[in-house]
Amino acid sequence: MRFTAGIFLFAASASFAANLDLSRASIVVRPGARPAPEQTAAKMLAEEVEKRTGLRLPVVTGFPVAGPAIVITGSANVPGWPRQPQPVHAGAEGYRLDIQSGDKPVVWIAANDARGALFGAGYLLRQLQWGQGKLALSDAAGIETAPRSPLRGHQLGYRTTANSWDAWSIPQFEQYIRDLAVFGSNAVENIPSQDNRPNPLMKIPRPEMNRAMSEICQRYGQEYWVWTPVTHDLNEKDKNAKQLAEFEEFFKGTPFLTGVFVPGGDPGDNPPELVLPFLAQVAEKMKAYHPNAKIWLSLQGFNEKKAEVVYQWIDKGVPAWFGGLVNGPSSPDIPKEYARVAGRVPIRLYPDVTHNKISQYEVPEWDQAYALTLGREAVNPRPFEYAAIHNRYAAMSNGFLSYSDGVHDDVNKVLWSSLAWDPQRPVRDVVIEYCRYFFSSENAEEAADLILALERNWNGSLVANGSVESTLRHWNDLEKRSPQLAGNWRWQMCLLRANYDAYVRRRLIQDTELEEKANTILAQVQKLGSEKAISAATATLNEAVDDPAGPELRARIIELCARLYQSIWLQTSVAKYNASGAERGAVLDFIDNPLNNRWWLEDEFAKVRKVPDEAAKAKRLLELARWEHPGEGSFYDNVGNLRKAPHVGHCEGEDCTPLFWWWDNGKSRARLSWQVTLWPKEMVYEGLDPKAAYVVRTTGYGQPLLRVDGEKIKPTVDGKEMADYKEFPVPASALQDGKLVLTWDKATGEENLNWRRHSRLAEVWLLKR
């Protein structure tokens, strides 16, 4: 026996068969009354096996006379059984799976509690080899394991904002909660009242669904939490009374409740001096119906002063109703918060696993073309990235309930649940189990590697990432060999991403080439005249409209979006599928967005045409043509675009992630370089002419923060808005070695500004005069 990461592995006996045939097995359970999760474990195992194999394994209370037995017990000692399980040493929610071979083989799933029995059944489901009429267990080792983190859950808020489950039935919610439990999840967080916009997709009234989710959680041994923001001004006593009455009505109608999470902000804008007394009033209402439930508070949106008020309140000793702090988007730094409250209250993580940009964990080194099309809430398997994030912070918390607004992040949820059970699990192994359970035991490894390839599709420059096309070819080949998965919504999501990624790449290559051709035409304005140059450049740019790249991929994407709406209610369009907002997974609405500056140039051409002087027209058209090509000895960087930032030094971490802006509901006609900003760690230029004069020009907005070789430089031109220039003369002394290093100070005095008005940097030119 050996121990690793909270898991005991037991070598199989010499008589163990490489493939134990379980097609004629019976599921044996304890006689008499059993806790609900233990009852659910047997039901879940039988039903999920039948879905995959067509085999209905009988559930009995005695050992079968013939055929294998799969025994599920939440007790180590069962009176009356002729055979007993081995002792279970694992802790709470843990289980032990043993395989006893021989004439009457037994697969034991033994636990010390009902939850452990259910999680053990989930583990078995993840290991089974299955096909139509076939069921086998090929794992040659038993296991004894318990979870590392006591809290492992996900927010499944039944509200209009969601991009899929707002249209679900109660059985669909139960299936999804079951699927998450199979991978070790033990908590669900609902949103019972926030966002009451009319929703034509909602089939079930919210009070009915709120109660149903609570009951499902009871059956599956899941903690049931709710997210309930306080958005009104707490100085208004009548509104306080109204919300307290709403809380009480919810508590009264909810059969089972574990925790209430109240965000300090996002949304909400009340000071902690008002929030904390109000939470005490909420707790008093809750106590009558759910005396063991706790209230948790996040410090989202709190500045240091507000956060310190809460910390000092904790220092004095917290009341019994207070569960702890939640750390999520816009919360204080996790290590600092942990250091401040460790040993006094627990910290629950609230990781954003659902968003790709303008979020807590933005995709690093993401190409702007993806940000413009797939956007904030696309199908987003990011297993390696989220594994690193989970393991970075897990030890500072009691676990997590993730922030999610739909099924598009399904892989990420399973990854977090699995690593919260065992942080040492290899990421690829988790994804293989995901594919074995949801797709097929035959193609599990191949499908897992292709899901990992989808994550790599998003790494770095899209034009330079030729593996995007290879990934699509492999998915297409696997699809041809797996026709039985055509209706599987998880499978459809993978195919959608593979096709969408390749389509965006083909369009990006085409749009980039067309803009270069258009700029070449504009550069000939002196020869052609302004009107001919504009007309020819416009016709060139419009080739992307008249003869777009990848029309067959576009048609496939539209087809897959339709199938996903039918299979799981994934809403990929506002107009077509009732998505709650353009940024809420509506990838179909941005499928034709230009991936070059066509829209911006069209608007600039319209302005030029209104200029009465031909010489002025020609001058502006030359500026447009040479925007990214300032001439020999000069340089241009679009700092947030990896493809166009050759002088931006490598940087890792939150401060090095580009910010992709969301303007005009995703249909901004602004220059693309202004729609992504970044503060580089440094920009390095070498091989410069020591005898020449240089000027640094930038776009962005806010404060002038440039340093050249460490020296703060005052601007000679100090534009304040995004399209305005700033210009900084380069000191001659800095050029003596032919090298320049540009850095930027952090802006000061912006602490009370909305983050959208903080100083930003978009473009940098080094111009040789």
Side-chain angles (χ1 to χ4, degrees):
M1 181 178 72
R2 63 189 177 90
F3 172 80
T4 175
I7 297 176
F8 292 95
L9 298 175
F10 299 90
S13 64
S15 60
F16 174 74
N19 288 286
L20 176 61
D21 184 0
L22 296 174
S23 60
R24 299 178 60 194
S26 299
I27 299 173
V28 181
V29 298
R30 292 189 293 142
R34 287 169 290 132
E38 190 174 343
Q39 296 178 47
T40 300
K43 183 175 185 288
M44 176 179 77
L45 179 59
E47 290 178 352
E48 295 304 322
V49 166
E50 185 175 19
K51 290 175 188 176
R52 289 158 175 77
T53 67
L55 300 169
R56 181 66 182 183
L57 304 186
V59 179
V60 298
T61 57
F63 283 76
V65 176
I70 301 173
V71 183
I72 302 175
T73 173
S75 174
N77 184 29
V78 183
W81 273 3
R83 304 165 75 171
Q84 296 291 334
Q86 295 291 323
V88 180
H89 303 288
E93 302 185 8
Y95 56 85
R96 174 172 178 149
L97 188 145
D98 281 308
I99 302 168
Q100 293 179 354
S101 57
D103 295 337
K104 296 181 179 180
V106 178
V107 176
W108 289 96
I109 301 171
N112 288 325
D113 55 45
R115 274 184 173 180
L118 183 127
F119 295 135
Y123 172 79
L124 177 61
L125 281 167
R126 304 194 319 256
Q127 306 309 311
L128 289 171
Q129 304 294 319
W130 51 269
Q132 192 61 32
K134 300 177 182 178
L135 186 67
L137 184 61
S138 62
D139 191 356
I143 187 172
E144 182 165 359
T145 177
R148 180 66 59 85
S149 295
L151 181 63
R152 310 173 303 281
H154 305 279
Q155 190 177 84
L156 311 179
Y158 187 61
R159 60 173 179 168
T160 295
T161 308
N163 65 30
S164 43
W165 50 58
D166 55 324
W168 284 4
S169 64
I170 292 172
Q172 282 178 300
F173 259 109
E174 176 166 4
Q175 182 63 55
Y176 197 59
I177 291 170
R178 171 185 287 187
D179 288 343
L180 293 173
V182 164
F183 286 86
S185 176
N186 72 348
V188 169
E189 186 164 75
N190 186 21
I191 300 176
S193 57
Q194 189 267 349
D195 188 4
N196 283 313
R197 289 174 290 168
N199 185 343
L201 299 179
M202 271 191 172
K203 303 177 184 66
I204 311 297
R206 291 184 81 175
E208 182 181 344
M209 184 63 83
N210 293 339
R211 182 178 181 86
M213 291 180 71
S214 174
E215 291 169 345
I216 293 168
C217 287
Q218 278 186 302
R219 292 198 297 272
Y220 283 81
Q222 304 286 297
E223 296 187 9
Y224 181 57
W225 292 57
V226 290
W227 181 85
T228 54
V230 178
T231 56
H232 70 274
D233 185 346
L234 287 173
N235 287 302
E236 300 183 39
K237 303 302 182 184
D238 56 335
K239 291 185 178 179
N240 289 359
K242 181 175 181 292
Q243 185 156 17
L244 286 170
E246 291 171 353
F247 268 115
E248 184 168 19
E249 183 180 1
F250 170 75
F251 295 146
K252 184 178 180 180
T254 301
F256 168 68
L257 184 66
T258 307
V260 175
F261 164 28
V262 178
D266 192 23
D269 192 29
N270 285 293
E273 292 87 350
L274 295 178
V275 172
L276 292 167
F278 183 75
L279 295 186
Q281 292 179 283
V282 174
E284 190 63 29
K285 299 288 186 182
M286 183 173 67
K287 184 178 179 181
Y289 306 98
H290 305 283
N292 296 321
K294 305 290 185 181
I295 295 179
W296 295 63
L297 173 69
S298 76
L299 309 187
Q300 291 171 264
F302 280 18
N303 58 26
E304 289 186 10
K305 183 178 179 181
K306 288 182 178 180
E308 186 58 29
V309 170
V310 178
Y311 296 151
Q312 291 182 13
W313 178 79
I314 291 172
D315 290 341
K316 296 175 183 177
V318 297
W321 55 261
F322 188 72
L325 293 176
V326 177
N327 192 291
S330 303
S331 290
D333 179 69
I334 295 173
K336 290 181 180 178
E337 184 164 273
Y338 175 74
R340 183 66 179 80
V341 303
R344 290 183 288 283
V345 296
I347 295 175
R348 181 206 117 179
L349 300 182
Y350 181 44
D352 181 353
V353 301
T354 211
H355 293 135
N356 308 316
K357 66 172 189 174
I358 315 179
S359 60
Q360 183 182 22
Y361 300 120
E362 298 178 324
V363 179
E365 298 188 346
W366 210 30
D367 196 290
Q368 188 180 19
Y370 285 137
L372 291 167
T373 52
L374 284 166
R376 192 167 184 244
E377 225 172 74
V379 175
N380 65 343
R382 296 162 61 184
F384 276 106
E385 183 187 352
Y386 275 123
I389 292 169
H390 172 274
N391 289 347
R392 187 182 307 147
Y393 300 121
M396 303 177 197
S397 74
N398 74 330
F400 73 93
L401 273 151
S402 73
Y403 169 32
S404 174
D405 258 322
V407 296
H408 64 287
D409 57 18
D410 190 62
V411 170
N412 303 334
K413 292 193 190 82
V414 166
L415 188 282
W416 273 78
S417 294
S418 299
L419 292 185
W421 191 286
D422 175 14
Q424 296 183 19
R425 287 211 65 198
V427 171
R428 184 172 180 268
D429 288 359
V430 173
V431 183
I432 288 172
E433 283 192 356
Y434 178 93
C435 295
R436 184 187 297 127
Y437 180 68
F438 291 122
F439 297 157
S440 165
S441 53
E442 292 182 358
N443 69 19
E445 290 200 30
E446 188 176 359
D449 287 336
L450 290 178
I451 287 176
L452 299 178
L454 292 177
E455 182 177 23
R456 291 193 296 273
N457 278 2
W458 283 6
N459 291 345
S461 167
L462 179 54
V463 169
N465 192 351
S467 65
V468 170
E469 292 284 353
S470 175
T471 298
L472 174 61
R473 285 195 298 272
H474 284 294
W475 271 111
N476 287 341
D477 176 64
L478 187 56
E479 181 187 15
K480 291 176 183 177
R481 292 184 278 117
S482 309
Q484 75 280 7
L485 295 174
N488 183 310
W489 62 265
R490 290 179 171 92
W491 184 256
Q492 292 167 356
M493 289 202 308
C494 292
L495 293 175
L496 174 61
R497 259 293 307 283
N499 281 273
Y500 206 116
D501 290 359
Y503 180 60
V504 172
R505 183 172 186 269
R506 291 185 195 181
R507 289 189 55 238
L508 176 61
I509 291 171
Q510 180 187 43
D511 280 8
T512 301
E513 292 175 350
L514 292 177
E515 185 170 352
E516 287 295 324
K517 289 179 180 178
N519 285 334
T520 300
I521 293 169
L522 294 176
Q524 301 175 56
V525 62
Q526 303 286 8
K527 176 182 176 181
L528 298 174
S530 62
E531 187 55 39
K532 284 187 177 180
I534 288 174
S535 296
T538 299
T540 297
L541 292 169
N542 282 335
E543 289 179 24
V545 179
D546 302 331
D547 187 19
E552 75 285 359
L553 295 183
R554 185 180 187 277
R556 179 75 165 129
I557 291 164
I558 293 171
E559 173 205 344
L560 286 165
C561 287
R563 288 166 60 185
L564 278 161
Y565 185 70
Q566 295 164 1
S567 61
I568 199 63
W569 296 98
L570 186 66
Q571 299 141 36
T572 54
S573 169
V574 174
K576 197 170 185 179
Y577 299 125
N578 289 296
S580 65
E583 80 281 18
R584 295 293 178 179
V587 298
L588 203 55
D589 294 344
F590 303 97
I591 192 172
D592 296 320
N593 268 24
L595 303 179
N596 59 16
N597 288 297
R598 172 162 56 89
W599 283 351
W600 179 72
L601 287 169
E602 288 173 353
D603 295 345
E604 292 301 310
F605 293 162
K607 295 175 186 176
V608 169
R609 281 183 163 131
K610 294 178 181 179
V611 175
D613 180 60
E614 178 64 20
K617 290 181 178 181
K619 179 182 178 183
R620 179 55 177 166
L621 292 178
L622 281 173
E623 289 176 353
L624 299 179
R626 296 170 179 170
W627 192 280
E628 297 181 8
H629 306 283
E632 185 177 355
S634 296
F635 308 94
Y636 170 83
D637 286 77
N638 175 355
V639 296
N641 188 326
L642 295 170
R643 293 181 292 111
K644 298 182 177 182
H647 300 95
V648 173
H650 179 71
C651 181
E652 295 181 352
E654 183 178 342
D655 293 337
C656 305
T657 303
L659 176 58
F660 297 103
W661 291 91
W662 178 258
W663 296 334
D664 300 326
N665 226 19
K667 296 290 184 178
S668 173
R669 297 176 69 87
R671 184 171 178 82
L672 296 189
S673 53
W674 301 338
Q675 296 184 49
V676 55
T677 57
L678 172 74
W679 287 112
K681 182 178 180 181
E682 64 179 17
M683 294 182 66
V684 180
Y685 301 83
E686 296 182 295
L688 302 178
D689 183 353
K691 298 179 181 180
Y694 289 88
V695 171
V696 175
R697 174 186 291 169
T698 67
T699 59
Y701 57 78
Q703 301 176 29
L705 304 167
L706 177 69
R707 288 183 181 270
V708 175
D709 289 351
E711 179 183 347
K712 186 71 177 287
I713 307 297
K714 291 184 178 181
T716 55
V717 177
D718 192 10
K720 297 298 184 183
E721 297 303 319
M722 182 60 78
D724 298 339
Y725 291 143
K726 284 182 169 65
E727 290 192 354
F728 306 81
V730 175
S733 58
L735 294 161
Q736 296 306 304
D737 59 356
K739 178 180 179 180
L740 285 181
V741 177
L742 308 185
T743 56
W744 284 264
D745 292 343
K746 287 193 174 183
T748 58
E750 298 182 343
E751 294 80 5
N752 295 320
L753 289 179
N754 182 281
W755 63 271
R756 293 174 179 82
R757 297 306 304 167
H758 289 183
S759 297
R760 305 291 180 186
L761 182 68
E763 300 167 291
V764 177
W765 292 261
L766 181 62
L767 301 174
K768 184 178 181 182
R769 296 299 193 188

